[in-house]
Every structure is written in structure tokens, then in C-alpha cells.
Amino acid sequence: MNQGPATTILVLVGSLRRGSINRQIAQAAIDQAPNPVRMRLFDGLGELPLYNEDVDTGDVVEPVAAFRAAAAEADALLVVTPEYNGSIPGGLKNAIDWLSRPYGRGPMSGKPAAVIGASLSRYGGVWAHDEARKSLGIAGLRIVESIRLSVPTKTLDGRHPAEDADLVRTLCGIVEDLAAEVSA
């Protein structure tokens, strides 16, 4: 990757659980990010109130303001999410709703986004990843369709994702490809 200005990628993890495989995958991607890519994990999805247009006027509550500021400062978005009951986790959907406003002028409107993750399902969360891509696209982000990774958790065989050399290489490529989309 060329050494140009730093690219900032905002990372959202759909699972709020501290020890989740998806959090571990996100951290492995962050730890392996090539220079000059900076990755920022936004760890406050659980603090965002449910989206309500009645409260989305003027000054919003601090967690929403912090989230929107992080999104505005980022050049791209990487979502790492499991699949809950065949769809995306509620907290992630709520975050996407906050990102989508103000309508047509959200803080990540037009910026590239990719969705990856792991799940207990034998397909690794494909349904959730497709749903997240759809919602993000409607929210105004530019979905990078070529970036896909859905990991069935049983393939990790109890190992931490950072211990899987093939997965780490794949994550490095994903980060590089997403960063390249910023200037595309």
C-alpha cells in the first residue's frame, strides 16, 4: 500500500459481548492494519438510545453526538457482525438508523463500507451480512460488494481468530481493499 495520507476506517462490532468472536476478528483486523491506515473501533453501540426522530432534533444526546463525530471523521466503515435469528443484531440496526440521519446528509453518506463477520450458523452469518449491506446502502453508504467474509465459528476450532494465519491474511487484504476504495 502506498504511503500517502492516513485513511481512517471506523469499525463497528454488531455483538455487544466483550468476548465475542466478532470483536476478536475486529481487533485482529485493527492490529494488522497496514500503514497508513488507522482503524477506530467505536465501542459505544450499546449506549445509543433507540432511534426516534422526535429526539433527533438540534442537540442530540452525548452517545449519539460521539458516534456521529466518529463517523464524520472516518473515511470508510467496516462492520463486523454476527447473525442473530437470521438477521442483524438490533444494536447494529439502531446504529445504522442513527447514521442515516439527517436523511441524505448522514455523516457517512457516500463513504465506502464493507460488512464481514462470523456466526454459529453453517454459513457464517451471510444473511446478517446481506441485511447489513442493504441497510447501509439505503442509509447512503457506498457498499463495496467485492469485500465479503462470513466465517462459520466452528471453522476456528476454538482458536482465537488472530491465531488463524489465513484469516489474518484475509483481514489484511480486506483492510487494504477498503482503504483503496476511499480514493476510488
Side-chain angles (χ1 to χ4, degrees), residues 5-11 36-41 69-78 108 111-112 175 178-179 182:
T7 297
T8 301
I9 297 175
L10 180 64
V11 180
V37 177
R38 290 188 312 238
M39 297 183 74
R40 179 176 180 197
L41 175 65
E73 292 169 5
D75 300 305
L77 176 68
L78 178 64
M108 295 209 80
K111 295 178 183 179
V175 171
L178 184 55
V182 170

Side-chain angles (χ1 to χ4, degrees), residues 155-172:
T155 62
L156 293 171
D157 198 28
R159 292 173 293 148
H160 189 287
E163 296 171 4
D164 184 318
D166 290 336
L167 179 57
V168 169
R169 271 191 297 280
T170 299
L171 292 170
C172 287

